[in-house]
Amino acid sequence: MSVTTPLPRYGRLSIALHWLMLLLIAAVYATIELKGNFAKGSEPRELLKHWHFMLGMTVFALVWLRLIARWLHPAPHSLAGAGWEQALAKLMHLALYALMIGLPLLGWLTLSAAGKPIPFFGLELPALIGADKALAGDFKELHETLAVAGYWLIGLHAAAALFHQYVRRDGTLLRMLPQRHQA
């Protein structure tokens, strides 16, 4: 089935935040993956960790704006057919939002418990809890485990969008793309 009538679209703010968050999240993952290429304590490694923290906290700040935008301008109705598909799509979106909130919060808690500064573009964010090395290790382990789950969730989300675009041809992906204006 191909789409011939205009589909209800996401709002411009939601679309912009979606793609901005994708870029930020990709940068967060890239910085932490690239840090492994440098020796512990080296300047490039520390710089990558610093950017990882700051970009992660940017995701944390923007996810709240994204939730407000979603509340003010709800998502268009799902194009998914069966009830289980709609439930799965909602569950996926909830899981992605949980990661966008939970991962940065766990990173903040890890640094807080480790007694390390929490950098944010020239500012230092306050510690959420007191120093506790064992707790910092627990938070870090949970943060890393959920980050791996994030790879899978993001991959499944992208695969579902591509499935809708190229197999179902129902226009789901088009609703999240910036609209092109005809000249």
Side-chain angles (χ1 to χ4, degrees):
M1 166 175 111
S2 77
V3 178
T4 56
T5 59
L7 293 168
R9 299 177 52 77
Y10 286 87
R12 284 186 291 203
L13 179 59
S14 292
I15 292 170
L17 286 170
H18 176 273
W19 296 107
L20 175 60
M21 297 289 278
L22 170 66
L23 292 173
L24 283 170
I25 291 167
V28 168
Y29 275 102
T31 55
I32 209 63
E33 293 294 339
L34 290 171
K35 92 171 174 52
N37 293 328
F38 300 96
K40 288 187 178 188
S42 68
E43 191 174 327
R45 184 181 178 106
E46 293 304 311
L47 184 62
L48 286 167
K49 284 175 25 182
H50 185 80
W51 275 102
H52 176 77
F53 303 145
M54 290 192 309
L55 293 171
M57 292 312 297
T58 303
V59 168
F60 185 71
L62 287 177
V63 73
W64 300 105
L65 178 60
R66 192 166 176 188
L67 286 167
I68 291 168
R70 182 121 184 206
W71 179 66
L72 291 173
H73 303 284
H77 292 291
S78 174
L79 298 176
W84 69 267
E85 289 176 299
Q86 292 181 21
L88 194 57
K90 285 182 182 183
L91 184 61
M92 172 62 77
H93 283 106
L94 284 173
L96 288 168
Y97 277 109
L99 280 175
M100 288 185 280
I101 293 168
L103 282 173
L105 188 57
L106 281 167
W108 193 350
L109 286 165
T110 300
L111 291 177
S112 296
K116 294 182 179 177
I118 300 97
F120 189 66
F121 298 101
L123 302 173
E124 186 174 319
L125 299 176
L128 297 176
I129 58 174
D132 182 332
K133 193 170 184 137
L135 194 55
D138 292 342
F139 284 139
K140 182 179 181 186
E141 186 176 324
L142 183 56
H143 178 79
E144 291 172 351
T145 300
L146 290 176
V148 170
Y151 279 121
W152 287 97
L153 286 173
I154 293 164
L156 287 171
H157 180 68
L162 293 172
F163 173 79
H164 278 276
Q165 179 66 24
Y166 296 108
V167 176
R168 283 241 174 113
R169 298 182 187 272
D170 62 10
T172 297
L173 178 62
L174 296 176
R175 299 180 331 157
M176 187 50 83
L177 291 175
Q179 203 165 13
R180 295 181 216 179
H181 297 286
Q182 302 277 332

